Amino acid sequence: MPIRSTSPNSVRRPSVWPGVILYYWDLLPVKNRESIVTLHEGNTPLLRCSNLERVINPDIRLYVKLEGLNPTCSFKDRGMTVAISKAVEEGSRAVLCASTGNTAASAAAYAARAGLKAYVLIPQGSISLGKLSQAMIHGARVIEVEGNFDTALRLVKEATRHFPITLVNSLNPYRLEGQKTAAFEVSDHLGEAPNYHFLPVGNAGNITAYWKGYKQYLEIGRLTSLPKMMGFQAAGAAPIVLGKVVEQPETVASAIRIGNPASWQGALAARDESNGVIDTVTDEEIIAAYKLLANTEGALAEPASAVSVAGVIKKQRERLFRKGDTVVCTLTGHGLKDPDVAIRHSAQSMRISPNLDSLVAIFEREEKK
Ligand SMILES: *Cc1c(COP(=O)(O)O)cnc(C)c1O
């Protein structure tokens, strides 16, 4: 007797996700399909966090957008697919960026796929090993600058005035065009805008891009309301909150260790037009949120990403939310970018001799806890 077929021939398989440019084709600036460079970024999960809701506030609906599940494990891929595709369209041969790590990793990967040369400038000794290793293995020319991110960004801006090379920092408007697709996805997923959208703010491109995306969706009738944009900086790197450049930004969240953000004005506009806030959280609050996310939801995000959840906790303390509010946090990058931080903030592993008694002794001790 033939085995009954469970083959999905009769079932409609979901079609393959094509990446953000093809999926949102009408809303993005790429002109020719032939110039698309994609690693099928986007379509990341929007995870309902019922466990965190119980801890923070059972009357809200809390979601996290897992941007660490993009191809190079951060949201930067959404912008990079558009920036690199446009670079190809415009006949560029090489791209350049300054980076706290994730832009470098993403630029390196997309440039490799496009056959372009990539130069990445990183602040000396202060980017995570995961991010550095990505940029290196994808074949980027990695240049360490004796200085911080802001110094590196100033240098690449100058360089593009002297050499025919495409800047792929978020000063490149195509980056923001691609990044706005995350707001489209949140809206498509929820069927409406959330009440609040929390995200970390470093160079401030992402908050600018999300706001652009939400507004565009409202314009074309796919939304009837807009969220309040809730941007958070680390207390030691909070130029927008302080209203002045921070010369020596310092925080455990290396991805937002930025003292003079390029999209400063965009962030202020997002805040003011949406009736949102830009506020700070301390490194202690960031690490607490980072551990809470990992421990209660199984979601591992890098410290900079946990800033968004730390922001929600802070605003809950201030009694901001109403019953039924929908709150979305963007988890911008994957926690495995920086495994050192995870180990530093976890319980030590245990060691035993290889016999059952030792193992049982551990069970008995743990069960009593
Ligand atoms: C780039 C980055 C940020 C900051 O985004 P901006 O657009 O620079 O404000 C936050 N978290 C992670 C993980 C990043 O890679």
Side-chain angles (χ1 to χ4, degrees):
M1 205 174 73
I3 297 170
R4 216 180 85 202
S5 169
T6 52
S7 99
N9 286 339
S10 53
V11 181
R12 221 176 120 62
R13 281 175 193 263
S15 55
V16 174
W17 172 261
V20 297
I21 294 176
L22 276 175
Y23 196 81
Y24 293 110
W25 180 256
D26 294 341
L27 301 171
L28 292 173
V30 178
K31 295 200 183 74
N32 310 311
R33 282 173 182 247
E34 304 74 56
S35 46
I36 295 175
V37 182
T38 181
L39 290 161
H40 298 236
E41 60 297 308
N43 196 27
T44 55
L46 189 66
L47 188 72
R48 177 81 184 262
C49 292
S50 312
N51 297 330
L52 271 182
E53 287 168 11
R54 276 192 284 278
V55 178
I56 298 172
N57 177 347
D59 289 335
I60 63 173
R61 284 185 298 166
L62 179 62
Y63 295 86
V64 292
K65 184 131 177 90
L66 298 178
E67 289 290 275
L69 297 192
N70 277 298
T72 76
C73 309
S74 85
F75 75 83
K76 299 296 198 298
D77 295 342
R78 293 180 184 277
M80 206 54 73
T81 183
V82 179
I84 298 288
S85 297
K86 291 302 287 186
V88 167
E89 208 161 75
E90 289 161 6
S92 174
R93 305 280 301 280
V95 299
L96 169 69
C97 67
S99 177
T100 58
N102 281 331
T103 299
S106 188
Y110 282 81
R113 192 152 164 90
L116 302 179
K117 223 174 210 166
Y119 296 92
V120 305
L121 270 67
I122 56 172
Q124 183 188 31
S126 78
I127 87 166
S128 80
L129 203 57
K131 298 171 189 178
L132 179 62
S133 67
Q134 287 178 287
M136 291 172 75
I137 194 65
H138 291 306
R141 277 59 173 179
V142 178
I143 302 159
E144 286 196 62
V145 180
E146 294 167 8
N148 60 25
F149 170 83
D150 301 294
T151 315
L153 185 61
R154 201 173 338 115
L155 201 53
V156 299
K157 279 196 281 190
E158 265 174 47
T160 52
R161 284 198 286 271
H162 294 94
F163 297 97
I165 188 166
T166 304
L167 184 69
V168 294
N169 278 105
S170 54
L171 290 160
N172 178 328
Y174 300 133
R175 280 276 309 278
L176 300 193
E177 288 296 309
Q179 283 171 212
K180 77 185 179 187
T181 60
F184 298 163
E185 286 180 18
V186 170
S187 307
D188 290 343
H189 188 116
L190 295 173
E192 59 186 344
N195 298 95
Y196 295 95
H197 194 121
F198 282 73
L199 70 178
V201 174
N203 219 13
N206 214 24
I207 191 170
T208 305
Y210 267 91
W211 183 236
K212 185 167 202 216
Y214 280 124
K215 282 195 299 186
Q216 191 169 8
Y217 247 34
L218 185 79
E219 253 162 51
I220 63 173
R222 292 197 204 167
L223 285 179
T224 56
S225 65
L226 291 168
K228 292 188 167 61
M229 300 303 296
M230 310 293 284
F232 282 80
Q233 302 197 289
I240 298 177
V241 178
L242 297 173
K244 63 173 202 291
V245 171
V246 174
E247 295 294 341
Q248 303 289 345
E250 212 24 86
T251 167
V252 63
S254 58
I256 55 169
R257 195 181 287 147
I258 294 175
N260 187 12
S263 298
W264 195 316
Q265 291 310 318
L268 290 179
R271 178 193 70 187
D272 297 341
E273 291 170 26
S274 76
N275 281 316
V277 300
I278 298 186
D279 199 349
T280 59
V281 285
T282 63
D283 277 10
E284 292 70 35
E285 290 171 319
I286 294 169
I287 292 298
Y290 164 81
K291 291 174 70 170
L292 187 64
L293 252 175
N295 285 324
T296 60
E297 298 290 2
L300 181 56
E302 65 173 283
S305 309
V307 163
S308 58
V309 174
V312 171
I313 295 170
K314 179 168 184 179
K315 289 299 155 191
Q316 172 58 32
R317 276 204 310 272
E318 298 172 4
R319 298 282 178 265
L320 175 71
F321 305 115
R322 303 266 166 83
K323 195 174 172 61
D325 277 345
T326 301
V327 178
V328 172
C329 291
T330 300
L331 299 186
T332 45
H334 203 289
L336 283 179
K337 296 269 190 178
D338 215 342
D340 287 354
V341 178
I343 291 170
R344 212 178 314 137
H345 295 284
S346 303
Q348 298 247 311
S349 57
M350 296 174 266
R351 186 177 291 184
I352 58 169
S353 44
N355 61 64
L356 189 57
D357 284 350
S358 315
L359 185 55
V360 167
I362 287 180
F363 294 158
E364 285 172 353
R365 203 166 62 230
E366 290 294 315
E367 291 305 309
K368 283 198 205 104
K369 278 187 187 164

